[in-house]
Amino acid sequence: MNELTLTVLGNATPYPTRDNPCSGYLVSNGDTRVWMDAGTGTLGPLQHHTGLAGLTAIWISHAHADHTADLLTAYYALRYADIDRDPLPLYCPPGLADRLANFLTNGPERSPVESAFAIHELHDGHQVQLGELTLTSRAVEHGIPAFGVRVESPDACLVFSGDTAACPALTELASGCDLLLCEAESDRRPADEPPVHHTPEDAGETAQAAGARRLLLTHLGRSVSPDDAVTRASARFAGPVEFAEPGSHITV
């Protein structure tokens, strides 16, 4: 049996700390390895577990830099270094390839990002089979095009919120999952504008409403400590609640 595992490469926001890169996770099942979000600094710790040549795909929740910046360095590795492979499948929000090209282009010709990445643009309900894993993406509420993802193996189910306010699409996506990896960036809901992140209480309520078995909090804002976030989410969710400690390796 191939175990479904999650490795936390980093989860800082909006910039890395000395010991914690930005948002990035490795999902593994047998020989299938998916880099979920490629935030600042995550390419380094990824290589403790697999190189770019060993990746099956990259999945990106949204275009903010703390979730995408290491795609730029991955591009150079894939194009100009010691990586020998076909273009790496990249599942991402619409328009991300052009954003990368605009940043990387230094002359009159567009940077050939498609020679490094095989681009597959996400849409609400997008589904792809990678080895034994089925990835289903849903559009969520973050003020820009953004997605959560449900990763299903034959034996387990992981759901990653991406960055989003609490919303029905995420609750539906997480229905009955074994592990909900949910951001809790906000200390409190904004008073005068729509929310674009979960608070710890929101994360607990989403997990409870979805019937998730476990809740793993991630991507906490600088004013929210892990212990405080776990305590606050636990008041709204009856199941186990933990913090996604950078470097941790979790069997789903």
Side-chain angles (χ1 to χ4, degrees):
M1 180 179 69
N2 291 324
E3 291 183 330
L4 179 61
T5 62
L6 171 73
T7 302
V8 182
L9 306 175
N11 57 20
T13 178
Y15 64 96
T17 69
R18 290 174 297 179
D19 303 311
N20 186 12
C22 287
S23 183
Y25 311 88
L26 176 64
V27 174
S28 303
N29 179 252
D31 294 331
T32 303
R33 300 179 181 89
V34 182
W35 185 10
M36 287 195 321
D37 278 354
T40 317
T42 55
L43 180 55
L46 175 72
Q47 293 171 83
H48 286 298
H49 310 283
T50 185
L52 291 171
L55 279 179
T56 305
I58 303 173
W59 183 93
I60 298 292
S61 63
H62 65 289
H64 284 152
D66 58 335
H67 297 256
T68 62
D70 270 19
L71 290 176
L72 301 172
T73 46
Y75 167 83
Y76 284 111
L78 292 163
R79 281 279 295 170
Y80 304 117
D82 55 347
I83 310 298
D84 183 17
R85 61 163 300 153
D86 292 335
L88 179 54
L90 173 59
Y91 297 89
C92 60
L96 185 58
D98 286 337
R99 286 170 64 96
L100 293 173
N102 288 338
F103 187 92
L104 291 163
T105 297
N106 294 302
E109 295 185 4
R110 182 183 186 276
S111 184
V113 293
E114 289 82 4
S115 63
F117 302 111
I119 307 295
H120 304 272
E121 293 192 339
L122 298 174
H123 56 79
D124 190 35
H126 180 280
Q127 194 167 85
V128 63
Q129 190 76 28
L130 301 173
E132 292 186 327
L133 297 182
T134 303
L135 275 62
T136 303
S137 300
R138 289 293 309 272
V140 293
E141 296 179 10
H142 191 49
I144 64 170
F147 297 87
V149 64
R150 184 181 182 98
V151 182
E152 295 176 284
S153 77
D155 303 298
C157 174
L158 160 72
V159 172
F160 172 44
S161 65
D163 275 10
T164 178
C167 61
L170 179 61
T171 302
E172 293 169 10
L173 190 68
S175 177
C177 68
D178 294 299
L179 179 66
L180 172 59
L181 176 66
C182 189
E183 65 104 324
E185 193 274 345
S186 292
D187 190 10
R188 59 184 59 85
R189 292 181 182 175
D192 54 357
E193 57 188 16
V196 293
H197 288 285
H198 281 68
T199 64
E201 289 83 1
D202 290 335
E205 291 175 2
T206 293
Q208 188 71 22
R213 294 181 61 188
R214 298 164 61 193
L215 173 60
L216 193 62
L217 299 174
T218 193
H219 211 47
L220 304 182
R222 296 297 173 117
S223 64
V224 183
S225 73
D227 288 345
D228 184 43
V230 168
T231 298
R232 291 166 59 179
S234 296
R236 307 295 178 91
F237 176 55
V241 181
E242 300 171 80
F243 171 62
E245 191 68 39
S248 60
H249 186 74
I250 299 113
T251 299
V252 179

